[in-house]
Amino acid sequence: MPHVVTQACCADASCVYACPVNCIHPTPDEPDFLTSEMLYIDPATCVDCGACVSACPVGAIVPSHRIEPKDERYLQINAEHYEDVAQSPVRFPVDSRLRLPLAPISAPKPIAVPGGGDIRVAIVGSGPSAMYAADGLLRYPNVRVTMYERLDKPFGLARYGVAPDHLSTRKVMALFDEMARNNRLDIMLNSEVGRDVTLEDLGREFHGVIYAGGAGSDRRLDIPGADLANVASATEFVGWYNGHPDHVDRTFDLSQRRVVLIGNGNVALDVARILTADPDDLASTSISPAALAALRRSKVEEVLVVGRRGPRDAAFTLPELVGLADGGAHVAIDPALIEAQDTGEIDDHTIAAKLTVLSEIAQRAPGSGPVIRFGFLRSPEQITSDAAGSVAGVTFGINKPGPGGIGVESTGRTETVEAGLVLTSIGYKGVEVPGLPFDHVRGVIPNEAGRVVGDNGPMTGVYVTGWIKRGPSGFIGTNKADSAETVSQLRADLEAGLLSAHTEPPRRRTRPFRR
């Protein structure tokens, strides 16, 4: 296998567009792109040109002969993925993978608008979806973009949501830094819509407005005891150790022996890994100094990561699991939980690979130091308290796999686990933007391919991208294809003469991003 995609994959598909033989899948125009946990290189088609290595913004692609021991498992993961494809040729038709190298691509021409002139677009937010949208817009030489960011630093979750020890993934900020150097992009920091500028202002001063606010709140765990002291969200904990301004003054009681993490997505695994890591290993990362000092004093011996469903339905991705299992963390699983999920051959290669890794973990001898323990088939029912009103433990309902290994059923039994700190990680939801329609069930701004839709249909000049558009799904790079769709809608409306700017934007009393 000439080249291999490893854990750091951000799925922004830069490698897909750079590849001259279309050997990297899924591509943004294939149906499983948004749900795939990573991209894969077809070993039978790759011509070893290395174009993908140069294109990858996070250094996730390496030649097989240079792969590090901790990433060797990805040789097998990539190969097994394409074994499945070979058995199911309908997924990637051969003629779509064996095409000739692409011809040179010419620079985009200015967007043609009635009356000509420059086009001004405002973007609210500066996270990955905002940056990819700005990059797409600025490919057109007559477009200027002004970005409004309420914090004092840009790039959103790329800065404040990625674990500090995921050094490769954090490299994407270098890409965003390069985008920010464009002299037709102004990033206005400490600028909050509703406080420093109104929606009405933006509508008058710009041809179009793109909202890229992400999913800024957590889904609440609605069980008795969820409001006790020492219960917090994993998002708060991530913000704390990454120095997010909203959480920098937060404190967490790490004098407890056991921490329970409710939810087993990637964020939960990040938190568990940070809680059990050697602080000396974190000292060279971007972790908050205050968090590092607290972790040095930590008494945590065990982090229990609990999921309602079984191992085959776990929310964490395969790359995140592999990084945890092969990255030196002490991880443990009761073998009985894996055996209970064994229902024969698994058709989905990603699920099969996850179960293989989990089975290996279950057979490992006990290690020393703080341990991350997986608890599957457990539904939280109550957080119990001590006499001081703080967390004493968590009561779980015990589940069993549903028919055919799909879903879960309650056994009617419960168990209570002692714990002194509970962190919840059960998903995100968007926050309503005053003046815009909002779907409270899905936590998104209603839209059609990025055009905001109100009670009377599409709203002229108002667009949306990222998690506030599609919900909290995908990875940093997934926003590239998502933002491209939104930009294409805005361009179509410009060319149709539907958009105009009525006044020039005034000089704001805000601090621009210093490049």
Side-chain angles (χ1 to χ4, degrees), residues 1-4 41-50 53 61-66 75:
M1 179 180 294
H3 284 78
V4 184
I41 296 177
D42 184 350
T45 308
C46 179
V47 294
D48 202 18
C49 68
V53 176
I61 303 176
V62 295
S64 60
H65 65 278
R66 294 183 183 175
L75 291 166

Side-chain angles (χ1 to χ4, degrees), residues 177-460:
D177 270 327
E178 184 61 32
M179 294 176 183
R181 292 188 180 97
N182 192 309
N183 61 12
R184 289 183 286 116
L185 170 62
D186 292 317
I187 303 179
M188 310 306 292
L189 302 177
N190 297 312
S191 298
E192 185 171 352
V193 173
R195 184 192 66 190
D196 302 297
V197 61
T198 67
L199 296 179
E200 292 76 13
D201 290 337
L202 298 181
R204 287 191 302 269
E205 297 159 9
F206 295 89
H207 290 81
V209 182
I210 299 177
Y211 291 88
S217 65
D218 298 279
R219 295 193 180 278
R220 176 177 168 77
L221 182 65
D222 190 16
I223 62 173
D227 56 351
L228 290 172
N230 279 11
V231 178
S233 73
T235 302
E236 293 174 297
F237 193 83
V238 170
W240 171 69
Y241 66 58
N242 276 331
H244 191 294
D246 290 349
H247 306 292
V248 68
D249 295 326
R250 190 73 163 80
T251 58
F252 295 88
D253 184 0
L254 303 185
S255 66
Q256 310 297 327
R257 187 184 73 83
R258 179 184 288 127
V259 177
V260 170
L261 263 166
I262 298 176
N264 59 13
N266 286 355
V267 172
L269 266 58
D270 282 344
V271 169
R273 192 180 63 257
I274 295 298
L275 278 168
T276 57
D278 184 338
D280 288 341
D281 293 337
L282 297 174
S284 60
T285 72
S286 61
I287 191 168
S288 159
L292 181 61
L295 289 167
R296 289 192 185 280
R297 300 188 300 268
S298 173
K299 303 298 182 183
V300 174
E301 298 176 9
E302 177 180 294
V303 179
L304 178 61
V305 181
V306 183
R308 181 178 66 86
R309 295 180 293 181
R312 69 178 292 165
D313 297 314
F316 50 72
T317 62
L318 176 58
E320 191 73 19
L321 175 63
V322 169
L324 187 70
D326 297 349
H330 177 199
V331 193
I333 306 171
D334 182 351
L337 293 175
I338 305 299
E339 295 166 2
Q341 191 70 85
D342 185 8
T343 58
E345 184 176 351
I346 305 294
D347 292 332
D348 188 306
H349 92 94
T350 301
I351 294 176
K354 285 183 185 178
L355 291 177
T356 296
V357 176
L358 291 170
S359 296
E360 291 179 13
I361 293 172
Q363 301 305 316
R364 291 178 179 176
S368 59
V371 60
I372 299 169
R373 190 175 305 279
F374 282 106
F376 296 104
L377 298 170
R378 300 291 188 272
S379 295
E381 294 186 351
Q382 180 181 4
I383 300 175
T384 58
S385 65
D386 59 19
S390 189
V391 171
V394 184
T395 300
F396 295 99
I398 302 175
N399 302 320
K400 63 180 180 180
I406 306 300
V408 296
E409 296 178 349
S410 174
T411 65
R413 295 182 288 117
T414 64
E415 68 174 3
T416 299
V417 176
E418 291 185 2
L421 175 63
V422 174
L423 300 175
T424 63
S425 184
I426 56 175
Y428 302 90
K429 62 179 181 179
V431 177
E432 184 173 5
V433 178
L436 292 181
F438 193 71
D439 183 335
H440 291 275
V441 175
R442 295 183 57 215
V444 299
I445 294 176
N447 68 94
E448 294 177 355
R451 287 189 180 96
V452 174
V453 177
D455 293 338
N456 299 318
M459 298 175 63
T460 302

